[in-house]
Amino acid sequence: MYRRISNMALAAAAAMLTWCLVFLLAACGNSETDDKYGKYGVYYEIFVRSFADSDGDGIGDIRGLTSMLDYLNDGNDDTDTDLGINGIYLMPVNVSPSYHKYDVTDYYDIDPEYGTLEDFEHFLDEAHKRGIRVIMDLVVNHTGRDHPWFRESSSSAESRYRDYYNWADEASEGCDINAVLPSGSRLWHRSNGSFYYGYFWDGMPDLNYDDPRVRKEIKDIARFWLKKGVDGFRLDAAMHIYGVYEKPAGTDLPAKNIEWWQEFRNSAEEVKRDVYLVGEVWDKAYAAAPYYKGFDSLFNFDLGEGIITTLHTGSANAVSSKGFAWWLLDRYETYGSVRQDFIDAPFLTNHDQDRIMTRLRGDVEKAKLAAAIYLTLPGNPFIYYGEEIGMTGSKPDEMIRVPFKWYEEHKLPQCSWQSALNNAATVPVEIQQNDPDSLLSHYKKLIRVRQSSEALMLGGFEPVQSGNRAVIAYERSWSDGNGKDNAIVLYNVSSDHQQVQLDIKHFSADVIFDSGKTDLKAGNGTEADRLVIVMSPMSTVILDVDK
């Protein structure tokens, strides 16, 4: 299996290099964002409303975001003051009446609260100058209730936009207009004597993808933004394009969803060959995996929960009797059975979940260990804004999306649209920047270690038997035919010192990252071919391995 996973990574790299070559030869796109890692990198999720305010109205905006790009990546590899990310994922920025903007009313413009299309184009230019790729949230499962399409669709059964949405009446066959979700939420909503389908709520009517005009509209929207210079999309609610009780009983909903996303991908690649597509498929690995037929990446929802469970219990076997690394390998095998060059998207928590620091009950050392785990795994890690400084928050949603804490006192670019009193104890960026032991400094170090290692950026994944139930261990290996790069990563997830022995008969190892005070020494006597590692509590050590 290790050989197969490594070949998977090789295939991904070969494809990546091909995309880059085509991309450079074609006179389109933004070549400034291309580097040796292509689509691979560390991504940073931003809720624009809460990140940086340029004009003092309390609401974050595109100009504010642009002004703070140097915090994320200043474009200079010789500095260490920036976070060092490679990509930005923007939550919705299209025109919408809500604070969250998942109910779009105009797909071809930027919401005036955030700025103008010109502001966005300038932001893209500045991001690309710094080597930052930008993917935007494309919300196309549904529109807002105030979208002109829906207003027209709901006005009359004879409207030419009627079939842009799913309509039924009480006598319709095949559609259960009385269906409800386990939560009790209704799926069909009354309007002008008929019912329309809206999975999330009545303010978000679902589009009807059985209408070819809808498919063309959505592909045209994606083309518009790709031509503007975005590098890809995060596709919201990807598994709900054909939703439960939306179509007649017996409809193969996953198959129809996946067929659409393959069509969407083919269309997007006609504009940008190396477009990066990330799907939100909030389900178990076996159910999510088939969606890799249409996406480069799927958010790994299992992983964050697995990390939290492991850290709460202090046992590497908490998620599986086989151990954390073998549990994770099972998921990689499942994804790889669908697409060998899949790019996993590990993350801890996102904008729909209680924040990781709250889940870890404010324990900074556990937060550092959680960061180390997912920032050293295969794929593209996604950092939710504020995670790197330990921001807290639990639902309702507004409280997990509060303004980013730049300073102790309020001043621009800090936003104020929502009270951030739930983060009164969060140490702001201005203080953490100057503290080498801060959570922010920890993130910076980890990201730089990752980016300095082809094994960590691109490599395969193989569990390593640690012989200790409190220690997670795995190897990341990369080979491009001209050279090899190998790293062994170990985590002590317990609150006690732990000892591990590794067979070193065929390799030597150097420490390239140590969050504790790890003691390494070669064995002696009958253990002359072993490396004895004594790890500090809640610590991470990364070894550069020469085989």
Side-chain angles (χ1 to χ4, degrees), residues 155-197:
S155 66
S156 167
E158 306 305 318
S159 168
R160 68 189 184 96
Y161 288 98
R162 187 67 167 183
D163 289 339
Y164 270 43
Y165 300 87
N166 297 281
W167 290 92
D169 58 39
E170 296 191 31
S172 297
E173 294 183 4
C175 294
D176 183 0
I177 60 173
N178 296 311
V180 296
L181 295 173
S183 63
S185 299
R186 295 188 64 85
L187 295 167
W188 290 87
H189 313 281
R190 186 183 292 275
S191 177
N192 292 340
S194 297
F195 295 84
Y196 65 90
Y197 184 91

Coordinates of all heavy atoms in Angstrom, one line a residue, residues 155-197:
S155 N -43.3 34.2 -9.9 CA -44.4 35.1 -10.3 C -45.5 34.4 -11.0 O -46.7 34.9 -10.9 CB -43.8 36.3 -11.1 OG -43.4 35.8 -12.4
S156 N -45.2 33.4 -11.8 CA -46.2 32.7 -12.6 C -45.7 31.3 -13.0 O -44.5 31.1 -13.3 CB -46.5 33.6 -13.8 OG -47.2 32.8 -14.8
A157 N -46.7 30.4 -13.1 CA -46.3 29.1 -13.6 C -45.9 29.1 -15.1 O -45.4 28.2 -15.6 CB -47.5 28.1 -13.5
E158 N -46.2 30.3 -15.8 CA -45.9 30.4 -17.2 C -44.6 31.1 -17.4 O -44.1 31.3 -18.5 CB -47.0 31.2 -17.9 CG -48.4 30.6 -17.7 CD -48.5 29.2 -18.2 OE1 -47.9 28.8 -19.2 OE2 -49.1 28.4 -17.4
S159 N -43.9 31.5 -16.3 CA -42.7 32.3 -16.4 C -41.6 31.4 -17.1 O -41.5 30.2 -16.9 CB -42.1 32.7 -15.0 OG -40.8 33.1 -15.1
R160 N -40.8 32.1 -18.0 CA -39.7 31.4 -18.6 C -38.6 30.9 -17.7 O -37.8 30.1 -18.0 CB -39.1 32.2 -19.8 CG -38.3 33.4 -19.3 CD -38.0 34.3 -20.5 NE -37.1 35.4 -20.2 CZ -35.8 35.4 -20.3 NH1 -35.1 34.3 -20.7 NH2 -35.1 36.5 -19.9
Y161 N -38.7 31.5 -16.5 CA -37.7 31.0 -15.4 C -38.3 30.0 -14.5 O -37.7 29.6 -13.5 CB -37.2 32.3 -14.6 CG -36.3 33.2 -15.4 CD1 -36.8 34.3 -16.0 CD2 -35.0 32.9 -15.5 CE1 -35.9 35.2 -16.7 CE2 -34.1 33.7 -16.2 CZ -34.6 34.8 -16.8 OH -33.7 35.7 -17.5
R162 N -39.5 29.6 -14.7 CA -40.2 28.7 -13.8 C -39.4 27.4 -13.5 O -39.2 27.0 -12.4 CB -41.6 28.2 -14.4 CG -42.4 27.4 -13.4 CD -42.9 28.2 -12.3 NE -44.0 27.6 -11.5 CZ -44.5 28.1 -10.5 NH1 -44.2 29.4 -10.1 NH2 -45.5 27.5 -9.8
D163 N -38.8 26.8 -14.5 CA -38.1 25.6 -14.4 C -36.6 25.8 -13.9 O -35.9 24.8 -13.9 CB -38.1 24.7 -15.7 CG -39.5 24.2 -15.9 OD1 -40.3 24.1 -15.0 OD2 -39.8 23.8 -17.1
Y164 N -36.3 27.0 -13.6 CA -34.9 27.2 -13.0 C -34.9 26.7 -11.6 O -33.9 26.4 -11.0 CB -34.6 28.7 -13.0 CG -33.9 29.2 -14.2 CD1 -34.2 28.8 -15.5 CD2 -32.8 30.1 -14.1 CE1 -33.6 29.3 -16.6 CE2 -32.1 30.6 -15.1 CZ -32.5 30.2 -16.4 OH -31.8 30.7 -17.5
Y165 N -36.1 26.5 -11.0 CA -36.3 26.0 -9.7 C -37.2 24.8 -9.7 O -37.9 24.5 -10.7 CB -36.8 27.1 -8.7 CG -35.8 28.2 -8.7 CD1 -35.9 29.3 -9.6 CD2 -34.9 28.3 -7.7 CE1 -35.1 30.4 -9.6 CE2 -34.0 29.4 -7.7 CZ -34.1 30.4 -8.6 OH -33.2 31.5 -8.6
N166 N -37.3 24.1 -8.6 CA -38.2 22.9 -8.5 C -39.5 23.3 -7.9 O -39.6 23.7 -6.7 CB -37.5 21.8 -7.6 CG -36.2 21.3 -8.2 OD1 -36.2 20.5 -9.1 ND2 -35.1 21.9 -7.7
W167 N -40.6 23.2 -8.7 CA -41.9 23.5 -8.2 C -42.8 22.3 -8.2 O -42.7 21.4 -9.0 CB -42.5 24.6 -9.1 CG -41.9 25.9 -9.0 CD1 -40.8 26.4 -9.7 CD2 -42.2 26.9 -8.0 NE1 -40.5 27.7 -9.3 CE2 -41.3 28.0 -8.3 CE3 -43.2 27.0 -7.0 CZ2 -41.4 29.2 -7.5 CZ3 -43.2 28.2 -6.3 CH2 -42.3 29.3 -6.5
A168 N -43.7 22.3 -7.3 CA -44.7 21.2 -7.2 C -46.0 21.7 -6.5 O -46.0 22.8 -5.9 CB -44.2 20.0 -6.4
D169 N -47.1 21.0 -6.8 CA -48.3 21.4 -6.0 C -48.8 20.1 -5.3 O -48.2 19.1 -5.3 CB -49.4 21.9 -6.9 CG -49.8 20.9 -8.0 OD1 -49.8 19.7 -7.8 OD2 -50.0 21.4 -9.2
E170 N -49.8 20.3 -4.5 CA -50.3 19.2 -3.7 C -50.7 17.9 -4.4 O -50.7 16.8 -3.9 CB -51.4 19.7 -2.8 CG -50.9 20.8 -1.8 CD -52.0 21.1 -0.8 OE1 -52.7 20.1 -0.4 OE2 -52.0 22.2 -0.3
A171 N -50.9 18.1 -5.7 CA -51.3 16.9 -6.5 C -50.2 16.3 -7.3 O -50.4 15.4 -8.1 CB -52.5 17.4 -7.5
S172 N -49.0 16.9 -7.2 CA -47.9 16.4 -8.0 C -47.5 15.0 -7.6 O -47.5 14.6 -6.4 CB -46.7 17.4 -7.8 OG -46.9 18.6 -8.3
E173 N -47.1 14.3 -8.6 CA -46.6 12.9 -8.4 C -45.1 12.9 -8.2 O -44.4 13.6 -8.9 CB -47.1 12.0 -9.5 CG -48.6 11.8 -9.7 CD -48.9 10.8 -10.8 OE1 -48.0 10.3 -11.4 OE2 -50.1 10.7 -11.1
G174 N -44.7 12.0 -7.3 CA -43.2 11.8 -7.2 C -42.5 12.7 -6.2 O -41.4 12.4 -5.8
C175 N -43.1 13.8 -5.8 CA -42.5 14.8 -4.9 C -43.3 14.8 -3.6 O -44.5 15.2 -3.7 CB -42.3 16.1 -5.5 SG -41.2 16.2 -7.0
D176 N -42.6 14.5 -2.5 CA -43.3 14.6 -1.2 C -43.2 16.0 -0.7 O -42.2 16.3 0.0 CB -42.7 13.5 -0.3 CG -43.4 13.5 1.1 OD1 -44.4 14.3 1.2 OD2 -43.0 12.7 1.9
I177 N -44.2 16.8 -0.9 CA -44.1 18.2 -0.4 C -44.2 18.3 1.1 O -44.0 19.4 1.6 CB -45.2 19.1 -1.1 CG1 -46.6 18.6 -0.8 CG2 -44.9 19.1 -2.6 CD1 -47.7 19.5 -1.3
N178 N -44.5 17.3 1.7 CA -44.6 17.3 3.2 C -43.4 16.7 3.9 O -43.3 16.6 5.1 CB -45.9 16.5 3.7 CG -47.2 17.1 3.2 OD1 -47.4 18.3 3.4 ND2 -48.0 16.3 2.6
A179 N -42.4 16.4 3.1 CA -41.1 15.8 3.6 C -40.4 16.8 4.5 O -40.4 18.0 4.3 CB -40.2 15.4 2.5
V180 N -39.9 16.2 5.6 CA -39.1 17.0 6.6 C -37.8 16.3 6.8 O -37.7 15.1 6.7 CB -39.8 17.3 7.9 CG1 -41.1 18.1 7.6 CG2 -40.2 16.0 8.6
L181 N -36.8 17.1 7.2 CA -35.5 16.5 7.6 C -35.6 16.0 9.1 O -36.5 16.3 9.8 CB -34.4 17.6 7.6 CG -34.1 18.1 6.2 CD1 -33.1 19.3 6.2 CD2 -33.5 17.0 5.3
P182 N -34.7 15.1 9.5 CA -34.7 14.6 10.9 C -34.7 15.8 11.9 O -35.3 15.6 13.0 CB -33.4 13.8 11.0 CG -33.2 13.3 9.6 CD -33.6 14.5 8.7
S183 N -34.2 16.9 11.5 CA -34.2 18.1 12.4 C -35.6 18.7 12.6 O -35.8 19.6 13.4 CB -33.2 19.2 11.9 OG -33.7 19.6 10.7
G184 N -36.5 18.3 11.7 CA -37.8 18.9 11.7 C -38.0 20.0 10.6 O -39.1 20.5 10.4
S185 N -37.0 20.3 9.9 CA -37.0 21.4 8.9 C -37.8 20.9 7.7 O -37.5 19.8 7.2 CB -35.6 21.9 8.5 OG -34.9 22.4 9.6
R186 N -38.6 21.8 7.1 CA -39.3 21.4 5.9 C -38.4 21.7 4.7 O -37.5 22.5 4.7 CB -40.6 22.3 5.8 CG -41.7 22.0 6.9 CD -42.9 22.8 6.5 NE -43.6 22.3 5.3 CZ -44.4 21.2 5.2 NH1 -44.7 20.6 6.3 NH2 -44.9 20.9 4.1
L187 N -38.7 20.9 3.7 CA -37.9 21.0 2.4 C -38.7 21.7 1.3 O -38.0 22.3 0.4 CB -37.5 19.6 2.0 CG -36.6 18.8 2.9 CD1 -36.5 17.4 2.5 CD2 -35.2 19.4 2.8
W188 N -40.0 21.6 1.4 CA -40.8 22.3 0.4 C -41.6 23.5 1.0 O -42.1 23.3 2.1 CB -41.8 21.3 -0.3 CG -41.2 20.3 -1.1 CD1 -40.6 19.1 -0.7 CD2 -40.9 20.4 -2.5 NE1 -40.1 18.4 -1.8 CE2 -40.3 19.2 -3.0 CE3 -41.2 21.4 -3.5 CZ2 -39.9 19.0 -4.3 CZ3 -40.9 21.1 -4.8 CH2 -40.2 19.9 -5.2
H189 N -41.5 24.6 0.3 CA -42.0 25.9 0.9 C -43.1 26.5 0.0 O -42.9 26.5 -1.2 CB -40.9 26.8 1.2 CG -39.7 26.2 1.8 ND1 -39.6 26.0 3.2 CD2 -38.5 25.7 1.3 CE1 -38.5 25.4 3.4 NE2 -37.8 25.2 2.3
R190 N -44.2 27.0 0.6 CA -45.3 27.5 -0.2 C -45.0 28.9 -0.7 O -44.5 29.7 0.0 CB -46.6 27.5 0.7 CG -47.8 27.9 -0.1 CD -49.0 28.1 0.9 NE -49.4 26.8 1.4 CZ -50.2 25.9 0.8 NH1 -50.7 26.2 -0.4 NH2 -50.6 24.8 1.4
S191 N -45.5 29.1 -2.0 CA -45.4 30.4 -2.6 C -46.4 30.5 -3.7 O -46.4 29.7 -4.6 CB -44.0 30.7 -3.1 OG -43.9 31.9 -3.8
N192 N -47.3 31.5 -3.6 CA -48.3 31.7 -4.7 C -49.0 30.5 -5.1 O -49.2 30.2 -6.2 CB -47.6 32.3 -5.9 CG -47.1 33.7 -5.7 OD1 -47.6 34.4 -4.7 ND2 -46.2 34.2 -6.5
G193 N -49.4 29.7 -4.1 CA -50.3 28.5 -4.3 C -49.5 27.3 -4.7 O -50.2 26.2 -4.9
S194 N -48.2 27.3 -4.9 CA -47.4 26.2 -5.2 C -46.3 26.0 -4.1 O -46.2 26.8 -3.2 CB -46.8 26.3 -6.6 OG -47.8 26.4 -7.6
F195 N -45.5 25.0 -4.3 CA -44.4 24.7 -3.4 C -43.1 24.7 -4.1 O -43.0 24.1 -5.2 CB -44.6 23.4 -2.7 CG -45.8 23.4 -1.8 CD1 -47.1 23.1 -2.3 CD2 -45.7 23.7 -0.4 CE1 -48.2 23.1 -1.5 CE2 -46.8 23.6 0.4 CZ -48.1 23.3 -0.1
Y196 N -42.0 25.3 -3.6 CA -40.7 25.2 -4.2 C -39.8 24.5 -3.2 O -40.0 24.6 -2.0 CB -40.1 26.6 -4.5 CG -39.9 27.5 -3.4 CD1 -38.7 27.5 -2.7 CD2 -40.9 28.4 -2.9 CE1 -38.4 28.4 -1.6 CE2 -40.7 29.2 -1.8 CZ -39.4 29.2 -1.2 OH -39.2 30.1 -0.1
Y197 N -38.7 23.9 -3.7 CA -37.8 23.1 -2.9 C -36.7 24.0 -2.5 O -36.0 24.7 -3.3 CB -37.2 21.9 -3.7 CG -36.3 21.0 -3.0 CD1 -36.8 19.9 -2.3 CD2 -34.9 21.2 -2.9 CE1 -36.0 19.0 -1.6 CE2 -34.1 20.4 -2.2 CZ -34.6 19.3 -1.6 OH -33.8 18.4 -0.9

